[in-house]
Amino acid sequence: MGILAEFKEFAVRGNVIDLAVGVVIGASFGKIVTALVDQIIMPPIGWLIGNVDFTELAITLREATLDAATGEEIPAVTIGYGIFINTLIQFVIVAFAIFLAVKFINRLKRKQAEAPQPAKPAEPSEEVKLLREIRDSLRPQP
């Protein structure tokens, strides 16, 4: 089998297509959560704690300076923990949304498993079995 035929077989397999759809939807969902956190959740929280913009929260280890020889600015060294807080909140929201989705899917699977299954025919009684044996023994043997 040629490499193109193998690739075609691989690419049109259901799992690969499902995975691709999941990645695209996941990326879009990530953008939605980022916008939700950055534009809707964090501004009121920042306002409640004194008009703080979380993306600006940082610990400065070294201030920005000018290089005496070249005159170029040497940037400050900071630890941007505000961006980390935003990312942490985004993670919690995504994890909670995934938890709810999995919980919903599990509930659907549970309902499907609990749905009444078609009843199997009842096992014949001992009398019926005995009568069948007698009938079979009375048939002419070839």
Side-chain angles (χ1 to χ4, degrees):
M1 180 184 296
I3 194 159
L4 289 178
E6 286 183 56
F7 178 73
K8 180 181 176 189
E9 181 183 338
F10 169 78
V12 296
R13 190 176 301 153
N15 293 342
V16 174
I17 294 171
D18 292 343
L19 178 63
V21 169
V23 167
V24 170
I25 290 175
S28 297
F29 185 69
K31 289 180 182 179
I32 291 170
V33 170
T34 300
L36 175 71
V37 170
D38 291 345
Q39 304 302 321
I40 296 174
I41 294 175
M42 296 312 287
I45 292 174
W47 177 73
L48 286 174
I49 62 172
N51 292 328
V52 175
D53 180 9
F54 277 81
T55 58
E56 300 296 322
L57 292 178
I59 298 173
T60 303
L61 300 177
R62 187 184 75 201
E63 296 290 333
T65 58
L66 286 175
D67 186 6
T70 62
E72 293 180 11
E73 182 180 0
I74 300 172
V77 178
T78 60
I79 298 174
Y81 67 93
I83 295 172
F84 175 74
I85 291 172
N86 275 358
T87 305
L88 191 63
I89 291 172
Q90 290 172 7
F91 169 77
V92 170
I93 291 172
V94 169
F96 187 68
I98 291 171
F99 166 75
L100 291 178
V102 169
K103 184 176 178 178
F104 177 73
I105 290 169
N106 287 341
R107 184 180 304 151
L108 290 178
K109 285 183 179 179
R110 204 174 316 121
K111 284 182 181 179
Q112 186 179 21
E114 292 172 358
Q117 302 295 326
K120 294 182 180 179
E123 187 79 17
S125 67
E126 290 298 318
E127 294 86 14
V128 172
K129 289 180 183 178
L130 183 60
L131 288 171
R132 286 182 182 167
E133 287 179 24
I134 294 171
R135 177 197 66 198
D136 292 342
S137 67
L138 292 175
R139 283 197 180 146
Q141 301 295 324

